[in-house]
Amino acid sequence: MTEPIHIIAIGDPFLDAATLCEVITPRLPSGAVLEALDWNVGGKEPLQRINLQCEQRGPDAIDPPAELLAAIPRADILFTQFCPVSARALEAAPRLRVIGVGRSGVENIDVMAATRRGVCVLNTVGRNAEAVAEYAIGLLLCEARNIARGHAALKRGEWRKKYPNDESVPELPGRTLGLVGLGAIGRLLVKRLSGFDMKFLAYDPYADAGAATALGVALTDLPTLMRASDFISIHAKLTPETRGLISRELIALMKPTAYLINTARAELVDEAALAESLRSGRIAGAALDVFMREPLPASDPLAALDNVTLSPHQGGVSVDAYRTTARMFIDNVRRLWDGGELPANLVNRETQSNLQNFKDQIQRRAL
């Protein structure tokens, strides 16, 4: 009897093993078995600290979790959302052929080590795009229209009417939104904010010019975008090339009435330069969901400013987003059993032939 394909799914405090089983099991292909287990990391706050470490230092930022090391030797296919998979963990996985990462970024995976071992890494692009796009719009409105500041004042018993942007509180029609990154989230922002009659610029070296034009977006270079935009929303992927992309020099190009919104990665922006620009009133405001230090200390310079809206890295959090993550993973993996194209979103393209060989192997088993 042919041994089944083992799928090991590592749950976490945001997407636990029970939910993984609930979503994946009805979609499980014939000839595959699912084993889902939870990474006992101690809750959402410790996990967020680990996530930040992995984003900054890679999967070796922490030792491989015991749950992963115990399960990975049985895995042909591994799913992880946040659990780090280092070179050490991969050494314990002789059967492993595919890693499915439940998000777009793969900072928690040692992709180079996986590639050396011929292991294919698939990410999940757009799994929380709706959640983040909605949240970015919320932050934009909250900062420009002083919603959070007014709310906080009322909670203190203060009927506040004076704000840092009193002379330039904007409405959105006719204003220009500059998007740094025109991927799934950026495109959704354009669709949603088109209803506000905004204009759109985007900087994205990988964007298709024809598709951008059809969406009503003018592609441009980054300095032009920084100069011309009334709102700048960051949606680029963090890579060695994009780290520090929004530099002190580029922030200095912004209009004095402009706002910067970041729901992507803190490392994309020179945070110290941004804080200085806000403190001096060089730009009107900012709205940030991501920070170089998380949780953000009360002593952080950003926390003392009155022209910035801050939130605790929650833009991608929704019950729909996490269930979508699991569904997108298993629907992608099912392509190995179905005819037609290979699974989408292969990160390490060097392993494409390995992925095809694995698909062919599964197809032969089904005969």
Side-chain angles (χ1 to χ4, degrees), residues 204-245:
D204 189 330
Y206 305 101
D208 178 86
T213 300
L215 197 59
V217 178
L219 294 177
T220 188
D221 59 87
L222 193 50
T224 299
L225 181 146
M226 299 296 289
R227 289 190 189 95
S229 299
D230 299 294
F231 300 91
I232 297 164
S233 195
I234 312 297
H235 302 288
K237 182 179 179 180
L238 179 63
T239 67
E241 293 73 30
T242 61
R243 189 176 296 272
L245 178 67

Side-chain angles (χ1 to χ4, degrees), residues 222-224 226-228 248-255 282:
L222 193 50
T224 299
M226 299 296 289
R227 289 190 189 95
R248 178 181 300 272
E249 292 75 18
L250 286 172
I251 292 170
L253 298 178
M254 292 174 62
K255 296 179 181 179
R282 171 65 189 78

Side-chain angles (χ1 to χ4, degrees), residues 3-132:
E3 185 177 2
I5 299 295
H6 283 77
I7 301 175
I8 304 291
I10 308 294
D12 58 56
F14 290 99
L15 178 57
D16 62 20
T19 303
L20 286 167
C21 285
E22 181 183 340
V23 175
I24 293 175
T25 300
R27 296 174 170 84
L28 200 64
S30 175
V33 294
L34 172 67
E35 178 183 348
L37 58 146
D38 281 317
W39 173 27
N40 297 312
V41 71
K44 293 180 179 179
E45 288 191 7
L47 175 57
Q48 288 180 319
R49 287 193 290 271
I50 290 171
N51 289 345
L52 184 62
Q53 292 175 30
C54 288
E55 287 173 9
Q56 295 176 343
R57 294 161 44 204
D60 290 312
I62 67 166
D63 291 332
E67 297 89 344
L68 176 66
L69 289 178
I72 201 169
R74 301 187 295 276
D76 297 298
I77 299 172
L78 175 71
F79 170 82
T80 174
Q81 180 172 232
F82 295 120
C83 184
V85 181
S86 64
R88 179 183 162 194
L90 289 167
E91 289 171 2
R95 298 172 48 148
L96 189 62
R97 307 292 294 276
V98 173
I99 300 172
V101 187
R103 54 185 187 151
S104 178
V106 292
E107 297 90 353
N108 58 322
I109 309 298
D110 191 328
V111 176
M112 290 181 65
T115 303
R116 286 194 300 269
R117 299 180 67 88
V119 176
C120 310
V121 179
L122 309 175
N123 64 353
T124 311
V125 177
R127 55 108 184 180
N128 62 356
E130 291 279 3
V132 176

Side-chain angles (χ1 to χ4, degrees), residues 124-332:
T124 311
V125 177
R127 55 108 184 180
N128 62 356
E130 291 279 3
V132 176
E134 291 174 1
Y135 200 84
I137 294 169
L139 285 178
L140 184 157
L141 290 168
C142 197
E143 173 58 27
R145 301 300 299 275
N146 299 297
I147 296 170
R149 284 182 280 277
H151 169 80
L154 283 173
K155 297 278 279 188
R156 295 192 303 267
E158 176 187 349
W159 189 259
R160 184 176 180 181
K161 290 292 186 177
K162 185 171 179 58
Y163 299 101
N165 64 345
D166 273 348
E167 303 302 317
S168 59
V169 175
E171 295 180 356
L172 298 188
R175 294 305 201 284
T176 297
L177 174 66
L179 294 158
V180 181
L182 193 60
I185 297 169
R187 293 192 299 271
L188 280 171
L189 269 175
V190 172
K191 292 177 181 178
R192 303 292 181 265
L193 288 172
S194 292
F196 286 86
D197 295 323
M198 296 190 76
K199 301 174 183 177
F200 303 100
L201 295 175
Y203 167 74
D204 189 330
Y206 305 101
D208 178 86
T213 300
L215 197 59
V217 178
L219 294 177
T220 188
D221 59 87
L222 193 50
T224 299
L225 181 146
M226 299 296 289
R227 289 190 189 95
S229 299
D230 299 294
F231 300 91
I232 297 164
S233 195
I234 312 297
H235 302 288
K237 182 179 179 180
L238 179 63
T239 67
E241 293 73 30
T242 61
R243 189 176 296 272
L245 178 67
I246 308 301
S247 64
R248 178 181 300 272
E249 292 75 18
L250 286 172
I251 292 170
L253 298 178
M254 292 174 62
K255 296 179 181 179
T257 54
Y259 300 83
L260 187 143
I261 300 97
N262 190 6
T263 54
R265 293 284 192 271
E267 293 83 0
L268 293 166
V269 179
D270 185 332
E271 189 175 87
L274 177 63
E276 289 175 18
S277 294
L278 291 166
R279 188 183 306 109
S280 67
R282 171 65 189 78
I283 63 173
L288 308 173
D289 188 48
V290 290
F291 309 93
M292 293 300 295
R293 294 185 292 172
E294 296 184 8
L296 186 73
S299 60
D300 191 282
L302 288 167
L305 299 174
D306 195 31
N307 57 345
V308 60
T309 298
L310 310 174
S311 65
H313 203 155
Q314 61 189 21
V317 177
S318 76
V319 64
D320 303 288
Y322 291 120
R323 295 181 70 86
T324 297
T325 298
R327 178 184 55 77
M328 290 177 71
F329 159 72
I330 193 60
D331 287 352
N332 204 22

